[in-house]
Structures are given as structure tokens and as C-alpha cells.
């Protein structure tokens, strides 16, 4: 059985992520989407919330499982018998960082391959960070996020904006 892991912050999952998950699910017997910690980011949603969003939007994919892990990806992949790491690759800026991570993961676990799925053109510039920024400016994020999570996303943005307002 070919098992792949698709790791990420997913803060929150976007339509670009979902597109990669759907394509990976066609390539592998099982795909584990794993919410992980990116030490460089301060997330808007908790690990559990991000997992919950992924469960909701991947419910139609029978060979996709959702998990979370706070340790190293290479360790997780080994423990869960994953042969491949899936990553989505957007416009040029992703390449250097992803190349470095692939090398590090391979050094930690030489049996592990990284497989990059290029983003569909409509998602080429889509990122969770961009969606969050748009959200904070009150811009329309429909079409960027899966419809099942749009309301919860807007609510979180409203709560944070209200908290900031009250702090003034
Ligand atoms: O969606 P992101 O933030 O680009 O995902 C990055 C992520 C979470 C996959 C990466 O930070 C990661 O693999 N974190 C787990 C810790 C780890 O294994 N670090 C070593 C890779 S350099």
C-alpha cells in the first residue's frame, strides 16, 4: 500500500490545499493530511480547529485521513509508513524553501521522497496568509476558502478585530 503524507500549517485550509489533496488522493492508496507546527508562524486557529476544518472539507475523500503532530515530519512519516511527502508548489518563491525542507527530510529519513504537485493556475498565488490578510481588511474570501469554513473564518477575524478594538 502506497501511503503519502501531506504536511502543512493549514491555517486555514484553502481551496489550493484542497486541490492538492484531491489530486494526491488519486495518486496514492492513502493520503494522511497532517497539521504540523511551523516554528516561523503564529497560527490564527488551534491545531484542533485546523484538523476539524480539514475533516469537514475532505469528508468526500474516502482514502484521505486527517491527523496532527507536533514533532518532526520525517519521524512522523516513518512511524506511519509513509513513502512520500506531498507538497504543493506555487509561484517561484516556494521553491527555495521547499527544496531545503526536502533535503533536510531526506537526510533525516533517506527512504522518504518529496513529491511536488504544481498549483493549478487559479491557485498559483493563493496562501492562507494572503487569505487572512484579505479577511482582516474585510475583503471577500469566497472562492479562496472551501465554503464549509468561510463563516467560521469570518467569525474568528471579527473576534480578533473586536479584541483589538477593545484593547485601544
Ligand atoms: O504550510 P507550511 O507552514 O508551509 O508547512 C510547513 C511545515 C509545517 C510542513 C514544516 O514547517 C514542517 O515540516 N514542520 C514540522 C517540523 C519539521 O519536520 N521540520 C523540519 C523540516 S525543515
Amino acid at each position: 500500500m502506497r501511503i503519502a503524507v501531506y504536511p502543512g500549517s493549514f491555517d486555514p485550509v484553502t481551496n489550493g490545499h484542497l486541490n492538492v489533496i484531491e489530486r494526491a488522493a488519486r495518486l496514492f492508496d492513502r493520503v494522511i493530511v497532517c497539521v504540523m507546527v511551523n516554528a516561523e508562524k503564529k497560527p490564527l486557529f488551534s491545531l484542533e480547529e485546523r484538523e476539524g476544518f480539514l475533516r469537514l472539507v475532505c469528508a468526500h475523500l474516502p482514502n484521505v485521513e486527517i491527523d496532527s503532530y507536533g514533532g518532526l515530519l520525517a519521524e512522523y512519516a516513518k512511524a506511519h509508513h509513509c513513502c512520500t511527502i506531498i507538497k504543493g508548489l506555487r509561484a517561484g518563491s516556494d521553491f527555495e524553501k521547499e527544496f531545503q525542507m526536502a533535503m533536510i527530510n531526506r537526510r533525516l529519513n533517506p527512504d522518504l521522497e518529496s513529491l511536488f504537485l504544481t498549483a493549478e493556475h487559479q491557485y498559483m498565488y493563493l496562501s492562507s496568509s494572503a487569505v487572512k490578510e484579505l479577511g482582516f481588511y474585510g475583503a471577500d474570501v469566497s472562492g479562496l476558502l472551501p465554503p464549509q469554513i468561510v463563516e467560521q473564518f469570518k467569525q474568528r477575524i471579527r473576534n480578533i478585530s473586536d479584541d483589538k478594538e477593545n484593547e485601544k
Side-chain angles (χ1 to χ4, degrees), residues 7-9 36-38 41 71-73 87 97 101 104:
S9 304
M36 302 201 84
V37 176
N38 182 337
K41 294 181 179 170
L72 284 173
L73 171 58
K87 285 295 191 90
K97 193 185 105 211
M101 278 201 270
I104 290 172

Side-chain angles (χ1 to χ4, degrees), residues 41-57:
K41 294 181 179 170
K42 190 173 171 290
L44 187 61
F45 295 96
S46 70
L47 223 59
E48 294 73 24
E49 287 172 317
R50 288 179 268 159
E51 251 190 278
F53 287 162
L54 280 159
R55 288 222 161 80
L56 204 59
V57 307

Side-chain angles (χ1 to χ4, degrees), residues 12-107:
V13 55
T14 67
N15 283 340
H17 293 130
L18 188 55
N19 175 261
V20 170
I21 296 169
E22 287 172 343
R23 288 156 64 201
R26 290 198 286 271
L27 295 173
F28 289 87
D29 299 309
R30 268 176 71 202
V31 175
I32 307 174
V33 182
C34 191
V35 183
M36 302 201 84
V37 176
N38 182 337
E40 293 171 4
K41 294 181 179 170
K42 190 173 171 290
L44 187 61
F45 295 96
S46 70
L47 223 59
E48 294 73 24
E49 287 172 317
R50 288 179 268 159
E51 251 190 278
F53 287 162
L54 280 159
R55 288 222 161 80
L56 204 59
V57 307
C58 294
H60 63 297
L61 300 167
N63 61 335
V64 172
E65 293 159 39
I66 313 301
D67 199 5
S68 63
Y69 185 62
L72 284 173
L73 171 58
E75 282 173 2
Y76 181 92
K78 191 168 191 175
H80 291 79
H81 310 288
C82 302
C83 55
T84 307
I85 297 171
I86 301 285
K87 285 295 191 90
L89 203 59
R90 292 165 302 188
S93 57
D94 275 345
F95 181 78
E96 211 167 312
K97 193 185 105 211
E98 292 298 346
F99 191 87
Q100 184 194 25
M101 278 201 270
M103 294 296 108
I104 290 172
N105 286 321
R106 210 166 153 75
R107 187 172 187 276

Side-chain angles (χ1 to χ4, degrees), residues 126-147:
L126 178 56
S127 69
S128 301
S129 309
V131 175
K132 284 181 278 190
E133 183 153 351
L134 288 172
F136 279 113
Y137 285 101
D140 182 18
V141 295
S142 51
L144 305 178
L145 295 180

